[in-house]
Amino acid sequence: MSALDDWFPGASTPDHRRSVTHGRSGRSRPLKRPPRRFRALVGLIVGAVLVAPIVALMAVPAVSGVGIGAREVVSRWESLPTDLPLNAPLPQRSTIYAADGTTVIANYYAENRIPVALDQMPPMMVGAVLSIEDDRYYEHGALDVRGTTRAVVNNLAGRSRQGGSSITQQYVKNLLLTEARSDAQRREVTATTLDRKLREARLAVEAERTLGKDGVLAAYLNTVYFGRGAYGVATAAERFFGVKLADITPAQAATLAGMLKSPTNYDPITNPRLSKVRRNVVLGRMFDAGVITAAQAKKAKAAPLTVTLTQPANGCTKSKWQFYCQMVLDTIADDPTFGATKEARADLLFRGGLRIVTAMDPKAMAITQHAVDAALTPTNRVATSMAVVQPGTGKVVAIATNRNWGTREKKGETEIVLPAVPRFQPGSTFKPITLATALEQGFSPYTKLDTPDGYQPAVLNAPDGGFHNDDDQGHGVIDAFDATAQSVNTFYVQLIERAGVLRVADMAGRLGMTSLPRSGSKAVGSKDAALTLGAFETSPVQMANVYATLAAHGRACPAVVISSITRNDGTPVTSPTTQCRQVVSSAVADMVTEVLQRTFTPSGTAAGLGLEGRPAAGKTGTTNNSGATWFAGYVPQYATAVWVGDPRGPTYALRDVEAYGETFGVVYGRSIAGPEWREAMTALTRGLSVVPFTRADPSALIGVSPSVPDVRGLMRDAAIASLVRGGYRVVVSPKTADPQPLSVPGIVAAQSPAAGTPSGLDSTVTLTLTDGSDTAVRIPGQGA
């Protein structure tokens, strides 16, 4: 056996003929064997054409001035790189689904590809490609001696240029282009240099050695480019003809196979005449190879060139739910769980072939969108946004805004996900957080405080003249029920005095408000009494999640936009934890709920906004000078928060605002946000069972002390910071948890004492981290 057989099998051995692919005709007809003299001539030319580059290696002068010997030629060949990413997954499109797992929100891809196994491809499609691109594919090795020679002779004779690369060589080139990430890398792959040709040849040999003929062919048919963004035969069938690959006709298969020579020149849309001529050439070759019968070939050639161009939506712009789609993308882009860098996270989305199932409920989306559209038109200078979260799961089932998707602001468009961006002060919707903090410390909701207008706290920061109530009047001596129903500011300023500003900020974080700055120059300070009046930015999604925690009896869940992510082959992708935690006792949460129900009474700020025949808890919110207004509330099944404001900022006060077909001189939480909430919640709960709230037991609050928070699932530093702020001592166990599938380092896997355990201040909490975590950490204020 010749030494060349490793590179060019068949060059010195008898030809073991194997037909192209059996077509529907059930017959196989190899191409005619050329005369012996011609084959001899071919061999000579091949020596000059294919072996010449390798022989050229001999011409490189050695130190002694003598050419490199045959042994060194082989050594040089063996030294060429073989690190082709043969087993790397091909770039595939990712699909984002609604919660039902079937409704498509959007597709995302860098290369539009639908991978198909070789045995699932129609023989006619495979045969069409082989007959025109490499009809001796199963007869030659990685490099096609005869094909290359034929191309060289043809080109030297001045006829139309032909390519001599085998399918394996084409596959190698396609794969290298797929893996290229920059223009420089792509130029290197396509460069017409000896080094590139030799490397491609070496990689082709390695590809066949590793994958085998069938493996290379399947990979080629899934990577080859057909133009117009279509990669692979399955995608091309859908792109150009709107059919599944299994349903492709002989004419369609021939059209696609013909395009491979030049997707631009033989594009059936821009060059239909050339495309049809090329199609008929392929049909002739398919008949010669036995892929189709004479009758099939005749019928297909007579058929008109019919194209049904389809375009799978790529990105959020084409989605029916653009803002939710963008929220999904932002979630992936901003979370290191999906990759260490933004580039890695983008690569995962655009090339990873992901199946992303979200928490979005299309019906809930339609309901909330109708509610916001009924209130404000897209071109109104005032915007509104809404978020709905499911208590007990944290699932963000719906978001909505009156703005349309786009970049023309004057046309009422934006690409900012207003329900999710933490840019808006929540006003008095923050007050229940202060109340929960005070109740946990033993404050009775029946305790009465004097509520003068212009209250000046003893040690906390206050504006000139002190804090004022919304109506610039004192409300007398009242308890938490009346103070909440009437939204009395000075009651809550006194409450945060008692509870402590930083304790209230901790409670906000525990309940689900993640946007409060806790470090740096903008961090909440220990004297920032205005926190209780919502003087820091958050988002409707976060506020809805805070209220969902209260509805779930103090059990907090991360706001869940993405329910699950797997690759298209079913392999799970590491995702952020969605573990829920008991962050405040049910006694405290249920008492806050009872207080918030008073808001809907005739003397409350939400009078007339309650749900007919169904108990609800809620709170209005209005920032200084009506810079923004809110309504947040819940039933056991849903928690919804609504923001109304000028996107330019709170300095653009809500005055003389057109809404619901009338003009509001001054806007409050009950004016626009409240009715939006009521309309959405009425529709969301229609048909659901009426579930009563758990009646609060005041006696259960007696002796209530803070319970150990649940920090499992949090990043190490975040868990430590939360515990230290809560007054706990923290110990990180030097022993990590046992390895678990999909776990990532740096996460709290377990804690002792368990979450929910009653504890006094200065109690010690021991944390056990996930496998591979760094356990050497300095705890703030506790030394090494």
Side-chain angles (χ1 to χ4, degrees), residues 20 61 153 166 208 251 254 260 276 339 350 378 383 404 443 455 499 523 607 614 637-638 727:
V20 177
V153 171
S166 68
E208 286 206 359
L260 294 177
K276 186 174 182 179
F350 284 94
N404 292 325
F443 179 81
Y455 177 77
R614 188 182 298 271
Q637 296 97 327
Y638 291 112

Side-chain angles (χ1 to χ4, degrees), residues 75-130:
S75 176
R76 174 67 71 91
W77 171 263
E78 294 295 335
S79 71
L80 289 171
T82 61
D83 53 342
L84 192 66
L86 297 173
N87 296 318
L90 294 174
Q92 301 175 34
R93 70 186 183 202
S94 296
T95 303
I96 305 172
Y97 295 91
D100 58 18
T102 58
T103 303
V104 175
I105 295 175
N107 291 301
Y108 259 89
Y109 54 84
E111 295 182 4
N112 185 23
R113 176 180 287 107
I114 306 172
V116 181
L118 186 62
D119 60 5
Q120 298 299 311
M121 295 182 187
M124 186 180 348
M125 185 70 249
V126 179
V129 172
L130 287 177

Side-chain angles (χ1 to χ4, degrees), residues 35 71 80 117 395 473 546 597 615 655 710 716 750 767:
R71 184 176 303 172
L80 289 171
K395 292 181 178 180
Q473 296 179 15
V546 167
Q597 292 179 71
R655 301 187 186 279
D710 192 345
R716 181 197 68 184
L767 304 180

Side-chain angles (χ1 to χ4, degrees), residues 384-752:
T384 182
S385 60
M386 181 183 298
V388 183
V389 172
Q390 186 180 68
T393 68
K395 292 181 178 180
V396 184
V397 298
I399 59 171
T401 176
N402 65 314
R403 292 296 194 250
N404 292 325
W405 179 265
T407 58
R408 299 172 299 176
E409 293 185 16
K410 292 183 179 180
K411 297 290 186 179
E413 296 178 346
T414 184
E415 292 185 358
I416 298 171
V417 186
L418 294 175
V421 292
R423 295 185 177 182
F424 314 118
Q425 295 185 2
S428 293
T429 56
F430 189 95
K431 287 174 180 174
I433 299 173
T434 303
L435 178 60
T437 311
L439 293 175
E440 188 176 65
Q441 295 176 2
F443 179 81
S444 170
Y446 301 99
T447 299
K448 294 187 176 183
L449 304 175
D450 190 18
T451 56
D453 187 57
Y455 177 77
Q456 180 72 51
V459 295
L460 303 183
N461 296 334
D464 292 340
F467 288 95
H468 293 268
N469 295 317
D470 185 61
D471 55 5
D472 294 324
Q473 296 179 15
H475 284 250
V477 180
I478 55 176
D479 61 16
F481 289 90
D482 288 334
T484 304
Q486 300 169 33
S487 199
V488 181
N489 293 339
T490 56
F491 182 96
Y492 272 92
V493 172
Q494 294 177 72
L495 206 55
I496 199 171
E497 272 190 292
R498 294 181 176 221
V501 173
L502 297 184
R503 295 281 187 183
V504 172
D506 289 339
M507 178 63 74
R510 287 158 59 187
L511 294 177
M513 185 178 291
T514 59
S515 60
L516 281 186
R518 303 309 307 276
S519 60
S521 60
K522 296 184 179 180
V524 177
S526 60
K527 295 185 177 182
D528 290 333
L531 175 65
T532 195
L533 305 181
F536 288 84
E537 285 71 26
T538 187
S539 70
V541 168
Q542 290 186 30
M543 286 308 302
N545 203 30
V546 167
Y547 279 57
T549 300
L550 297 172
H553 312 290
R555 187 167 179 78
C557 307
V560 175
V561 175
I562 299 172
S563 296
S564 68
I565 300 185
T566 59
R567 295 192 185 274
N568 287 335
D569 61 3
T571 305
V573 174
T574 302
S575 303
T577 179
T578 56
Q579 184 176 1
C580 300
R581 308 187 301 275
Q582 192 73 33
V583 297
V584 68
S585 72
S586 58
V588 169
D590 292 344
M591 181 55 75
V592 174
T593 296
E594 186 150 320
V595 170
L596 289 178
Q597 292 179 71
R598 192 74 66 88
T599 307
F600 295 102
T601 60
S603 62
T605 57
L609 295 176
L611 305 179
E612 186 174 348
R614 188 182 298 271
K619 183 71 187 74
T620 56
T622 304
T623 64
N624 285 345
N625 300 315
S626 291
T629 63
W630 289 72
F631 194 94
Y634 52 93
V635 295
Q637 296 97 327
Y638 291 112
T640 299
V642 182
W643 165 84
V644 175
D646 192 311
R648 294 173 294 180
T651 57
Y652 296 89
L654 301 183
R655 301 187 186 279
D656 299 322
V657 175
E658 294 288 334
Y660 292 111
E662 59 180 296
T663 301
F664 292 83
V666 179
V667 177
Y668 300 97
R670 64 178 176 271
S671 305
I672 302 172
E676 285 185 56
W677 178 90
R678 186 179 190 277
E679 179 177 342
M681 290 292 276
T682 298
L684 286 169
T685 57
R686 186 173 292 121
L688 297 181
S689 300
V690 176
V691 179
F693 289 120
T694 301
R695 188 166 180 79
D697 181 5
S699 64
L701 296 173
I702 299 175
V704 169
S705 61
S707 56
V708 176
D710 192 345
V711 295
R712 292 172 300 171
L714 297 181
M715 297 295 291
R716 181 197 68 184
D717 293 347
I720 291 172
S722 177
L723 290 169
V724 169
R725 288 197 302 266
Y728 297 96
R729 293 183 58 80
V730 181
V731 174
V732 176
S733 172
K735 182 180 179 181
T736 59
D738 294 334
Q740 297 292 332
L742 301 181
S743 68
V744 294
I747 303 294
V748 176
Q751 67 179 82
S752 178

Side-chain angles (χ1 to χ4, degrees), residues 129-261:
V129 172
L130 287 177
S131 65
I132 195 66
E133 286 295 308
D134 195 345
D135 57 15
R136 297 179 52 260
Y137 175 71
Y138 280 105
E139 299 172 22
H140 60 68
L143 312 181
D144 181 8
V145 175
R146 189 181 303 173
T148 300
T149 303
R150 181 180 62 241
V152 170
V153 171
N154 183 82
N155 296 342
L156 290 175
R159 293 188 288 270
S160 61
R161 298 193 64 81
Q162 295 182 358
S165 296
S166 68
I167 275 181
T168 307
Q169 289 172 282
Q170 293 181 54
Y171 163 63
V172 166
K173 185 175 181 180
N174 292 342
L175 185 57
L176 292 174
L177 283 171
T178 296
E179 292 297 310
R181 294 294 190 273
S182 66
D183 290 341
Q185 290 175 327
R186 283 183 278 273
R187 284 194 296 271
E188 182 180 347
V189 172
T190 56
T192 55
T193 63
L194 176 61
D195 283 345
R196 199 271 292 177
K197 286 289 186 182
L198 287 174
R199 177 171 181 254
E200 184 181 283
R202 183 71 175 94
L203 291 174
V205 171
E206 189 63 27
E208 286 206 359
R209 182 178 295 166
T210 303
L211 300 179
K213 281 288 189 180
D214 286 350
V216 169
L217 180 58
Y220 169 77
L221 291 171
N222 280 310
T223 57
V224 67
Y225 185 57
F226 288 88
R228 293 187 180 268
Y231 290 83
V233 290
T235 305
E238 291 191 6
R239 180 77 171 101
F240 289 95
F241 305 113
V243 300
K244 298 294 183 183
L245 182 60
D247 300 324
I248 201 165
T249 67
Q252 292 169 343
T255 301
L256 293 180
M259 293 170 65
L260 294 177
K261 182 178 181 181

Side-chain angles (χ1 to χ4, degrees), residues 290-413:
V291 178
I292 56 176
T293 64
Q296 287 176 313
K298 181 178 180 180
K299 180 180 179 181
K301 287 183 178 181
L305 186 68
T306 303
V307 178
T308 305
L309 197 63
T310 64
Q311 174 63 56
N314 186 12
C316 293
T317 300
K318 298 293 185 180
S319 174
K320 180 179 178 181
W321 303 282
Q322 295 105 326
F323 291 103
Y324 203 105
C325 174
Q326 187 62 47
M327 186 167 63
V328 173
L329 301 191
D330 292 343
T331 298
I332 294 174
D334 296 338
D335 195 326
T337 305
F338 296 110
T341 64
K342 280 190 174 292
E343 291 73 17
R345 298 191 284 273
D347 204 52
L348 175 69
L349 176 67
F350 284 94
R351 302 168 66 89
L354 305 180
R355 174 183 169 83
I356 304 170
V357 179
T358 71
M360 192 197 86
D361 178 352
K363 180 180 178 182
M365 289 287 289
I367 288 171
T368 54
Q369 191 62 51
H370 182 271
V372 299
D373 288 344
L376 296 165
T377 64
T379 55
N380 197 313
R381 76 164 178 93
V382 176
T384 182
S385 60
M386 181 183 298
V388 183
V389 172
Q390 186 180 68
T393 68
K395 292 181 178 180
V396 184
V397 298
I399 59 171
T401 176
N402 65 314
R403 292 296 194 250
N404 292 325
W405 179 265
T407 58
R408 299 172 299 176
E409 293 185 16
K410 292 183 179 180
K411 297 290 186 179
E413 296 178 346

